[in-house]
Amino acid sequence: MNTDKRYLKVYEQVREDIINGRYPVGSKLPSKRVMAESMGMSVITIEHAYELLSEEGYIVPRQKSGYFVSFDDSDIYTGSENGNHSVQQKNKSNYGVKLPVASDAAKKEEGRLSSKAGEPRFSYSIYAKTVRKVLSDFDDYIMQKSPKSGLPELRSAIAGYLMRSRRLKVSPEQIVVGAGAEYLYGLIVQTFGRNLLYGVESPSYQKIAKVYEAGGAKIKMLKLGRDGIESDELWGSNVNILHITPYRSFPSGVTASASKKREYLKWSRKNRAYIVEDDFESEFTPSRKPEETIFSLDEEGRVIYVNTFTRTLGSNVRCAYMVLPAQLVEEFDNKIGFYECPVPTLDQLVVASLLDSGAFERHINKVRRYNRNI
């Protein structure tokens, strides 16, 4: 195995040990030196793995004491004969978890789409070169109308990218392309209907609730805590569709912990509800590995994954996509299959080419290196 990637093996093994209860909540992990000796790796490799586990909320460091498990996957509700439940709050203050503080700039709505000062922008010369190549290679194909869910070239390129970068194994048939995430939110309302209750984080990016309301949906705002929606808000909400931004929810900056992500999934199973995972901006995490998505943890097909190229490539690219659970593909096709794809064929081919050539991922890696160093 490549030495630079050994820390990922350690990360995955320790994470599984934590999830499976070998290291219960509150317990201390072996020291970096002890773990290094037991796994036959360097202390630096173990340190990198522990840093990843800490970033994702599986463990927390205590100065001069070591690393302690903060991941708690125990049930947070108690059922009853009549279907009611009471919420048991988890107190993680002993683990030293701190509330994120949003900057003044982050409180401005337009900040959701803005690059950080000094952050590398996608290269204009590469984009222009790609456009010229697409015009040359595809001739009058670019004048043809796109299939309703998007070009097969782009859907295949997205599926390949998700597998390489996020370990999401999906088929091109599960992917729907649209002109911006807001357009896709509207399709979700058209599919599930207006008579359901849609839950949205509070605070959240203002357009999310506005799009659902414009589609005639009923909205319930659910209060965010330090690592996601407060448990009592979530379990007492009676919502049918939950829209969440697990990574750096705007404008609060809250990122869901590993425990909270699994709590969302437990809630969806218990209530036979669906989750819309808005994965805006998570590609730019400063972590050494991509953020763990709720979609990747879902084993029952209850998560719809949504992402956009507007933040990564620039506001000139009005292109987004959602990944449907395999079991929902036919239902979506029956209910919204008549909608025309609003993204021009040329734009789709350019994005597909950037994904296939590696230019997109090189840009992502450049920004992530920048974010690690600021």
Side-chain angles (χ1 to χ4, degrees):
M1 179 184 292
N2 187 319
T3 303
D4 293 337
K5 298 297 183 182
R6 286 181 179 176
Y7 68 91
L8 290 177
K9 179 181 178 180
V10 178
Y11 158 84
E12 291 170 356
Q13 181 171 325
V14 177
R15 183 189 65 173
E16 289 305 307
D17 287 342
I18 292 172
I19 292 172
N20 294 329
R22 180 182 175 190
Y23 300 120
V25 61
S27 64
K28 182 180 178 181
L29 288 184
S31 69
K32 290 179 286 187
R33 186 171 299 279
V34 169
M35 184 68 80
E37 291 175 354
S38 67
M39 300 192 74
M41 297 188 184
S42 70
V43 173
I44 294 298
T45 297
I46 303 301
E47 183 175 8
H48 287 167
Y50 279 13
E51 286 175 357
L52 288 180
L53 292 164
S54 179
E55 288 169 1
E56 294 193 346
Y58 289 99
I59 63 176
V60 291
R62 289 185 190 169
Q63 192 172 12
K64 298 182 179 180
S65 297
Y67 291 86
F68 292 80
V69 176
S70 57
F71 175 80
D72 187 359
D73 197 28
S74 59
D75 288 337
I76 57 135
Y77 65 90
T78 55
S80 64
E81 293 295 331
N82 60 9
N84 295 327
H85 59 264
S86 60
V87 177
Q88 300 173 348
Q89 292 294 331
K90 296 177 182 176
N91 183 359
K92 297 181 182 177
S93 59
N94 292 335
Y95 307 132
V97 178
K98 295 182 179 180
L99 281 167
V101 179
S103 66
D104 291 338
K107 295 177 182 178
K108 298 179 181 179
E109 182 172 319
E110 61 269 21
R112 189 175 194 251
L113 295 175
S114 299
S115 300
K116 298 175 184 176
E119 182 179 276
R121 295 178 180 271
F122 194 84
S123 167
Y124 169 78
S125 62
I126 292 176
Y127 185 82
K129 180 180 179 180
T130 303
V131 172
R132 290 193 294 269
K133 187 175 188 304
V134 168
L135 288 170
S136 174
D137 290 350
F138 288 90
D139 296 324
D140 62 354
Y141 179 60
I142 65 172
M143 306 298 291
Q144 297 181 24
K145 185 169 66 174
S146 167
K148 293 179 172 57
S149 294
L151 290 176
E153 292 89 347
L154 178 55
R155 296 163 77 191
S156 294
I158 292 172
Y161 164 70
L162 291 175
M163 183 62 190
R164 291 191 305 272
S165 67
R166 313 305 294 273
R167 298 187 181 182
L168 300 185
K169 188 175 182 180
V170 301
S171 70
E173 290 72 30
Q174 291 175 252
I175 297 172
V176 178
V177 176
E182 293 91 347
Y183 170 82
L184 298 174
Y185 305 158
L187 295 186
I188 290 170
V189 176
Q190 295 299 315
T191 300
F192 287 115
R194 302 179 179 88
N195 296 324
L196 301 180
L197 185 60
Y198 291 72
V200 178
E201 296 168 334
S202 178
S204 66
Y205 180 51
Q206 294 179 2
K207 284 188 178 180
I208 295 173
K210 288 181 178 179
V211 170
Y212 284 127
E213 289 175 334
K218 295 177 289 184
I219 298 294
K220 185 174 181 63
M221 304 303 294
L222 305 175
K223 182 181 177 181
L224 276 174
R226 61 189 172 198
D227 71 339
I229 296 172
E230 295 280 9
S231 294
D232 56 349
E233 292 269 309
L234 177 66
W235 291 94
S237 64
N238 295 320
V239 303
N240 309 104
I241 311 293
L242 179 67
H243 188 117
I244 52 177
T245 306
Y247 179 75
R248 290 181 56 81
S249 180
F250 182 86
S252 66
V254 168
T255 293
S257 66
S259 300
K260 180 62 69 173
K261 290 175 181 178
R262 285 163 176 80
E263 182 184 345
Y264 287 144
L265 288 172
K266 284 187 177 183
W267 169 86
S268 68
R269 290 194 297 267
K270 176 73 175 180
N271 294 279
R272 301 183 64 81
Y274 285 94
I275 295 171
V276 179
E277 181 179 13
D278 188 343
D279 201 31
F280 175 86
E281 199 182 40
S282 73
E283 277 106 341
F284 290 158
T285 171
S287 175
R288 291 181 176 84
K289 64 173 287 295
E291 286 290 313
E292 183 179 57
T293 64
I294 297 177
F295 187 96
S296 68
L297 302 173
D298 178 28
E299 297 179 350
E300 296 191 2
R302 296 198 167 275
V303 179
I304 298 170
Y305 179 89
V306 179
N307 209 335
T308 176
F309 294 106
T310 302
R311 174 69 177 88
T312 46
L313 293 178
S315 57
N316 58 302
V317 181
R318 296 301 301 167
C319 184
Y321 63 94
M322 65 179 171
V323 183
L324 303 171
Q327 66 195 46
L328 286 182
V329 171
E330 184 176 357
E331 181 178 355
F332 265 68
D333 187 57
N334 290 337
K335 293 184 177 179
I336 63 171
F338 61 90
Y339 279 87
E340 299 290 344
C341 180
V343 184
T345 295
L346 174 60
D347 291 354
Q348 292 190 57
L349 291 172
V350 169
V351 175
S353 181
L354 292 171
L355 290 170
D356 289 337
S357 69
F360 181 81
E361 285 161 87
R362 286 192 291 273
H363 171 66
I364 295 298
N365 291 334
K366 182 187 297 184
V367 177
R368 289 176 66 185
R369 287 194 298 271
Y370 168 83
N371 287 338
R372 282 199 292 270
N373 294 326
I374 59 174

PDB file of all heavy atoms in Angstrom, residues 25-50:
ATOM      1  N   VAL A  25     -18.442   4.756  23.772  1.00  0.00           N
ATOM      2  CA  VAL A  25     -18.410   6.193  23.981  1.00  0.00           C
ATOM      3  C   VAL A  25     -17.786   6.503  25.339  1.00  0.00           C
ATOM      4  O   VAL A  25     -18.061   5.860  26.340  1.00  0.00           O
ATOM      5  CB  VAL A  25     -19.829   6.800  23.884  1.00  0.00           C
ATOM      6  CG1 VAL A  25     -20.762   6.222  24.936  1.00  0.00           C
ATOM      7  CG2 VAL A  25     -19.784   8.319  23.982  1.00  0.00           C
ATOM      8  N   GLY A  26     -16.884   7.486  25.353  1.00  0.00           N
ATOM      9  CA  GLY A  26     -16.208   7.895  26.572  1.00  0.00           C
ATOM     10  C   GLY A  26     -14.917   7.166  26.859  1.00  0.00           C
ATOM     11  O   GLY A  26     -14.148   7.601  27.721  1.00  0.00           O
ATOM     12  N   SER A  27     -14.676   6.058  26.137  1.00  0.00           N
ATOM     13  CA  SER A  27     -13.451   5.297  26.390  1.00  0.00           C
ATOM     14  C   SER A  27     -12.255   5.957  25.716  1.00  0.00           C
ATOM     15  O   SER A  27     -12.394   6.698  24.753  1.00  0.00           O
ATOM     16  CB  SER A  27     -13.599   3.857  25.896  1.00  0.00           C
ATOM     17  OG  SER A  27     -13.758   3.812  24.482  1.00  0.00           O
ATOM     18  N   LYS A  28     -11.078   5.645  26.234  1.00  0.00           N
ATOM     19  CA  LYS A  28      -9.847   6.213  25.696  1.00  0.00           C
ATOM     20  C   LYS A  28      -9.248   5.264  24.661  1.00  0.00           C
ATOM     21  O   LYS A  28      -9.154   4.059  24.882  1.00  0.00           O
ATOM     22  CB  LYS A  28      -8.844   6.453  26.818  1.00  0.00           C
ATOM     23  CG  LYS A  28      -7.532   7.084  26.361  1.00  0.00           C
ATOM     24  CD  LYS A  28      -6.588   7.294  27.538  1.00  0.00           C
ATOM     25  CE  LYS A  28      -5.259   7.877  27.071  1.00  0.00           C
ATOM     26  NZ  LYS A  28      -4.309   8.081  28.199  1.00  0.00           N
ATOM     27  N   LEU A  29      -8.844   5.837  23.521  1.00  0.00           N
ATOM     28  CA  LEU A  29      -8.156   5.034  22.510  1.00  0.00           C
ATOM     29  C   LEU A  29      -6.732   4.740  22.955  1.00  0.00           C
ATOM     30  O   LEU A  29      -6.155   5.495  23.750  1.00  0.00           O
ATOM     31  CB  LEU A  29      -8.122   5.784  21.170  1.00  0.00           C
ATOM     32  CG  LEU A  29      -9.417   5.931  20.383  1.00  0.00           C
ATOM     33  CD1 LEU A  29      -9.125   6.627  19.049  1.00  0.00           C
ATOM     34  CD2 LEU A  29     -10.078   4.590  20.128  1.00  0.00           C
ATOM     35  N   PRO A  30      -6.133   3.671  22.434  1.00  0.00           N
ATOM     36  CA  PRO A  30      -4.711   3.449  22.698  1.00  0.00           C
ATOM     37  C   PRO A  30      -3.898   4.666  22.252  1.00  0.00           C
ATOM     38  O   PRO A  30      -4.273   5.358  21.297  1.00  0.00           O
ATOM     39  CB  PRO A  30      -4.389   2.216  21.842  1.00  0.00           C
ATOM     40  CG  PRO A  30      -5.699   1.520  21.664  1.00  0.00           C
ATOM     41  CD  PRO A  30      -6.723   2.604  21.610  1.00  0.00           C
ATOM     42  N   SER A  31      -2.813   4.933  22.935  1.00  0.00           N
ATOM     43  CA  SER A  31      -1.977   6.069  22.551  1.00  0.00           C
ATOM     44  C   SER A  31      -1.461   5.875  21.133  1.00  0.00           C
ATOM     45  O   SER A  31      -1.460   4.752  20.601  1.00  0.00           O
ATOM     46  CB  SER A  31      -0.791   6.197  23.509  1.00  0.00           C
ATOM     47  OG  SER A  31       0.112   5.114  23.315  1.00  0.00           O
ATOM     48  N   LYS A  32      -1.015   6.958  20.529  1.00  0.00           N
ATOM     49  CA  LYS A  32      -0.512   6.877  19.158  1.00  0.00           C
ATOM     50  C   LYS A  32       0.658   5.908  19.067  1.00  0.00           C
ATOM     51  O   LYS A  32       0.775   5.151  18.099  1.00  0.00           O
ATOM     52  CB  LYS A  32      -0.111   8.275  18.669  1.00  0.00           C
ATOM     53  CG  LYS A  32      -1.295   9.206  18.444  1.00  0.00           C
ATOM     54  CD  LYS A  32      -0.867  10.585  17.997  1.00  0.00           C
ATOM     55  CE  LYS A  32      -0.264  11.375  19.137  1.00  0.00           C
ATOM     56  NZ  LYS A  32       0.019  12.782  18.754  1.00  0.00           N
ATOM     57  N   ARG A  33       1.498   5.903  20.072  1.00  0.00           N
ATOM     58  CA  ARG A  33       2.661   5.019  20.042  1.00  0.00           C
ATOM     59  C   ARG A  33       2.243   3.550  20.173  1.00  0.00           C
ATOM     60  O   ARG A  33       2.737   2.689  19.451  1.00  0.00           O
ATOM     61  CB  ARG A  33       3.640   5.399  21.166  1.00  0.00           C
ATOM     62  CG  ARG A  33       4.950   4.619  21.108  1.00  0.00           C
ATOM     63  CD  ARG A  33       5.954   5.202  22.091  1.00  0.00           C
ATOM     64  NE  ARG A  33       6.264   6.592  21.774  1.00  0.00           N
ATOM     65  CZ  ARG A  33       7.120   6.969  20.843  1.00  0.00           C
ATOM     66  NH1 ARG A  33       7.739   6.054  20.105  1.00  0.00           N
ATOM     67  NH2 ARG A  33       7.350   8.245  20.628  1.00  0.00           N
ATOM     68  N   VAL A  34       1.312   3.280  21.092  1.00  0.00           N
ATOM     69  CA  VAL A  34       0.843   1.904  21.271  1.00  0.00           C
ATOM     70  C   VAL A  34       0.133   1.412  20.016  1.00  0.00           C
ATOM     71  O   VAL A  34       0.351   0.285  19.564  1.00  0.00           O
ATOM     72  CB  VAL A  34      -0.087   1.804  22.503  1.00  0.00           C
ATOM     73  CG1 VAL A  34      -0.795   0.455  22.544  1.00  0.00           C
ATOM     74  CG2 VAL A  34       0.698   2.038  23.779  1.00  0.00           C
ATOM     75  N   MET A  35      -0.721   2.256  19.437  1.00  0.00           N
ATOM     76  CA  MET A  35      -1.436   1.876  18.218  1.00  0.00           C
ATOM     77  C   MET A  35      -0.457   1.650  17.070  1.00  0.00           C
ATOM     78  O   MET A  35      -0.619   0.715  16.271  1.00  0.00           O
ATOM     79  CB  MET A  35      -2.449   2.952  17.839  1.00  0.00           C
ATOM     80  CG  MET A  35      -3.309   2.612  16.626  1.00  0.00           C
ATOM     81  SD  MET A  35      -4.465   1.249  16.897  1.00  0.00           S
ATOM     82  CE  MET A  35      -5.788   2.108  17.783  1.00  0.00           C
ATOM     83  N   ALA A  36       0.573   2.488  16.978  1.00  0.00           N
ATOM     84  CA  ALA A  36       1.571   2.342  15.916  1.00  0.00           C
ATOM     85  C   ALA A  36       2.290   1.004  16.035  1.00  0.00           C
ATOM     86  O   ALA A  36       2.509   0.308  15.037  1.00  0.00           O
ATOM     87  CB  ALA A  36       2.567   3.501  15.976  1.00  0.00           C
ATOM     88  N   GLU A  37       2.653   0.635  17.250  1.00  0.00           N
ATOM     89  CA  GLU A  37       3.342  -0.634  17.452  1.00  0.00           C
ATOM     90  C   GLU A  37       2.450  -1.826  17.128  1.00  0.00           C
ATOM     91  O   GLU A  37       2.883  -2.801  16.520  1.00  0.00           O
ATOM     92  CB  GLU A  37       3.841  -0.723  18.900  1.00  0.00           C
ATOM     93  CG  GLU A  37       4.967   0.248  19.217  1.00  0.00           C
ATOM     94  CD  GLU A  37       5.354   0.225  20.682  1.00  0.00           C
ATOM     95  OE1 GLU A  37       4.662  -0.475  21.472  1.00  0.00           O
ATOM     96  OE2 GLU A  37       6.343   0.905  21.048  1.00  0.00           O
ATOM     97  N   SER A  38       1.153  -1.744  17.522  1.00  0.00           N
ATOM     98  CA  SER A  38       0.240  -2.864  17.298  1.00  0.00           C
ATOM     99  C   SER A  38      -0.096  -3.049  15.822  1.00  0.00           C
ATOM    100  O   SER A  38      -0.351  -4.167  15.376  1.00  0.00           O
ATOM    101  CB  SER A  38      -1.046  -2.670  18.095  1.00  0.00           C
ATOM    102  OG  SER A  38      -1.790  -1.573  17.598  1.00  0.00           O
ATOM    103  N   MET A  39      -0.067  -1.949  15.038  1.00  0.00           N
ATOM    104  CA  MET A  39      -0.421  -2.022  13.625  1.00  0.00           C
ATOM    105  C   MET A  39       0.800  -2.022  12.715  1.00  0.00           C
ATOM    106  O   MET A  39       0.664  -2.115  11.494  1.00  0.00           O
ATOM    107  CB  MET A  39      -1.360  -0.868  13.252  1.00  0.00           C
ATOM    108  CG  MET A  39      -2.662  -0.862  14.035  1.00  0.00           C
ATOM    109  SD  MET A  39      -3.891   0.285  13.363  1.00  0.00           S
ATOM    110  CE  MET A  39      -4.405  -0.594  11.891  1.00  0.00           C
ATOM    111  N   GLY A  40       1.983  -1.917  13.295  1.00  0.00           N
ATOM    112  CA  GLY A  40       3.192  -1.934  12.496  1.00  0.00           C
ATOM    113  C   GLY A  40       3.341  -0.720  11.600  1.00  0.00           C
ATOM    114  O   GLY A  40       3.820  -0.824  10.465  1.00  0.00           O
ATOM    115  N   MET A  41       2.927   0.452  12.098  1.00  0.00           N
ATOM    116  CA  MET A  41       2.995   1.684  11.317  1.00  0.00           C
ATOM    117  C   MET A  41       3.667   2.769  12.132  1.00  0.00           C
ATOM    118  O   MET A  41       3.926   2.603  13.330  1.00  0.00           O
ATOM    119  CB  MET A  41       1.598   2.112  10.873  1.00  0.00           C
ATOM    120  CG  MET A  41       0.923   1.108   9.951  1.00  0.00           C
ATOM    121  SD  MET A  41      -0.608   1.724   9.246  1.00  0.00           S
ATOM    122  CE  MET A  41      -1.169   0.273   8.353  1.00  0.00           C
ATOM    123  N   SER A  42       3.931   3.889  11.495  1.00  0.00           N
ATOM    124  CA  SER A  42       4.605   4.985  12.181  1.00  0.00           C
ATOM    125  C   SER A  42       3.621   5.773  13.046  1.00  0.00           C
ATOM    126  O   SER A  42       2.406   5.755  12.817  1.00  0.00           O
ATOM    127  CB  SER A  42       5.252   5.935  11.165  1.00  0.00           C
ATOM    128  OG  SER A  42       4.266   6.658  10.460  1.00  0.00           O
ATOM    129  N   VAL A  43       4.170   6.486  14.030  1.00  0.00           N
ATOM    130  CA  VAL A  43       3.343   7.334  14.892  1.00  0.00           C
ATOM    131  C   VAL A  43       2.677   8.437  14.068  1.00  0.00           C
ATOM    132  O   VAL A  43       1.528   8.813  14.326  1.00  0.00           O
ATOM    133  CB  VAL A  43       4.199   7.937  16.026  1.00  0.00           C
ATOM    134  CG1 VAL A  43       3.391   8.963  16.826  1.00  0.00           C
ATOM    135  CG2 VAL A  43       4.724   6.838  16.943  1.00  0.00           C
ATOM    136  N   ILE A  44       3.387   8.966  13.068  1.00  0.00           N
ATOM    137  CA  ILE A  44       2.829  10.016  12.211  1.00  0.00           C
ATOM    138  C   ILE A  44       1.603   9.498  11.464  1.00  0.00           C
ATOM    139  O   ILE A  44       0.589  10.197  11.336  1.00  0.00           O
ATOM    140  CB  ILE A  44       3.884  10.525  11.206  1.00  0.00           C
ATOM    141  CG1 ILE A  44       5.029  11.228  11.947  1.00  0.00           C
ATOM    142  CG2 ILE A  44       3.247  11.465  10.190  1.00  0.00           C
ATOM    143  CD1 ILE A  44       4.591  12.452  12.711  1.00  0.00           C
ATOM    144  N   THR A  45       1.670   8.256  10.981  1.00  0.00           N
ATOM    145  CA  THR A  45       0.530   7.661  10.277  1.00  0.00           C
ATOM    146  C   THR A  45      -0.677   7.564  11.211  1.00  0.00           C
ATOM    147  O   THR A  45      -1.801   7.907  10.830  1.00  0.00           O
ATOM    148  CB  THR A  45       0.896   6.259   9.755  1.00  0.00           C
ATOM    149  OG1 THR A  45       1.947   6.372   8.803  1.00  0.00           O
ATOM    150  CG2 THR A  45      -0.305   5.595   9.082  1.00  0.00           C
ATOM    151  N   ILE A  46      -0.456   7.109  12.439  1.00  0.00           N
ATOM    152  CA  ILE A  46      -1.546   7.009  13.419  1.00  0.00           C
ATOM    153  C   ILE A  46      -2.098   8.392  13.753  1.00  0.00           C
ATOM    154  O   ILE A  46      -3.306   8.585  13.874  1.00  0.00           O
ATOM    155  CB  ILE A  46      -1.046   6.310  14.708  1.00  0.00           C
ATOM    156  CG1 ILE A  46      -0.483   4.921  14.388  1.00  0.00           C
ATOM    157  CG2 ILE A  46      -2.187   6.212  15.718  1.00  0.00           C
ATOM    158  CD1 ILE A  46      -1.464   3.978  13.724  1.00  0.00           C
ATOM    159  N   GLU A  47      -1.196   9.364  13.862  1.00  0.00           N
ATOM    160  CA  GLU A  47      -1.631  10.735  14.170  1.00  0.00           C
ATOM    161  C   GLU A  47      -2.554  11.272  13.085  1.00  0.00           C
ATOM    162  O   GLU A  47      -3.581  11.883  13.380  1.00  0.00           O
ATOM    163  CB  GLU A  47      -0.413  11.648  14.324  1.00  0.00           C
ATOM    164  CG  GLU A  47      -0.771  13.068  14.709  1.00  0.00           C
ATOM    165  CD  GLU A  47       0.450  13.927  14.969  1.00  0.00           C
ATOM    166  OE1 GLU A  47       1.578  13.459  14.705  1.00  0.00           O
ATOM    167  OE2 GLU A  47       0.273  15.070  15.418  1.00  0.00           O
ATOM    168  N   HIS A  48      -2.208  11.038  11.819  1.00  0.00           N
ATOM    169  CA  HIS A  48      -3.060  11.488  10.727  1.00  0.00           C
ATOM    170  C   HIS A  48      -4.431  10.813  10.789  1.00  0.00           C
ATOM    171  O   HIS A  48      -5.467  11.453  10.561  1.00  0.00           O
ATOM    172  CB  HIS A  48      -2.401  11.191   9.377  1.00  0.00           C
ATOM    173  CG  HIS A  48      -1.244  12.077   9.071  1.00  0.00           C
ATOM    174  ND1 HIS A  48      -0.364  11.825   8.047  1.00  0.00           N
ATOM    175  CD2 HIS A  48      -0.815  13.226   9.654  1.00  0.00           C
ATOM    176  CE1 HIS A  48       0.551  12.785   8.011  1.00  0.00           C
ATOM    177  NE2 HIS A  48       0.303  13.642   8.981  1.00  0.00           N
ATOM    178  N   ALA A  49      -4.451   9.517  11.104  1.00  0.00           N
ATOM    179  CA  ALA A  49      -5.718   8.790  11.199  1.00  0.00           C
ATOM    180  C   ALA A  49      -6.569   9.329  12.343  1.00  0.00           C
ATOM    181  O   ALA A  49      -7.785   9.533  12.196  1.00  0.00           O
ATOM    182  CB  ALA A  49      -5.458   7.302  11.389  1.00  0.00           C
ATOM    183  N   TYR A  50      -5.944   9.578  13.493  1.00  0.00           N
ATOM    184  CA  TYR A  50      -6.675  10.123  14.642  1.00  0.00           C
ATOM    185  C   TYR A  50      -7.221  11.525  14.339  1.00  0.00           C
ATOM    186  O   TYR A  50      -8.309  11.888  14.800  1.00  0.00           O
ATOM    187  CB  TYR A  50      -5.761  10.165  15.869  1.00  0.00           C
ATOM    188  CG  TYR A  50      -5.626   8.835  16.610  1.00  0.00           C
ATOM    189  CD1 TYR A  50      -6.069   7.644  16.038  1.00  0.00           C
ATOM    190  CD2 TYR A  50      -5.050   8.774  17.874  1.00  0.00           C
ATOM    191  CE1 TYR A  50      -5.939   6.432  16.711  1.00  0.00           C
ATOM    192  CE2 TYR A  50      -4.916   7.559  18.560  1.00  0.00           C
ATOM    193  CZ  TYR A  50      -5.360   6.396  17.968  1.00  0.00           C
ATOM    194  OH  TYR A  50      -5.231   5.204  18.652  1.00  0.00           O
TER     195      TYR A  50
END
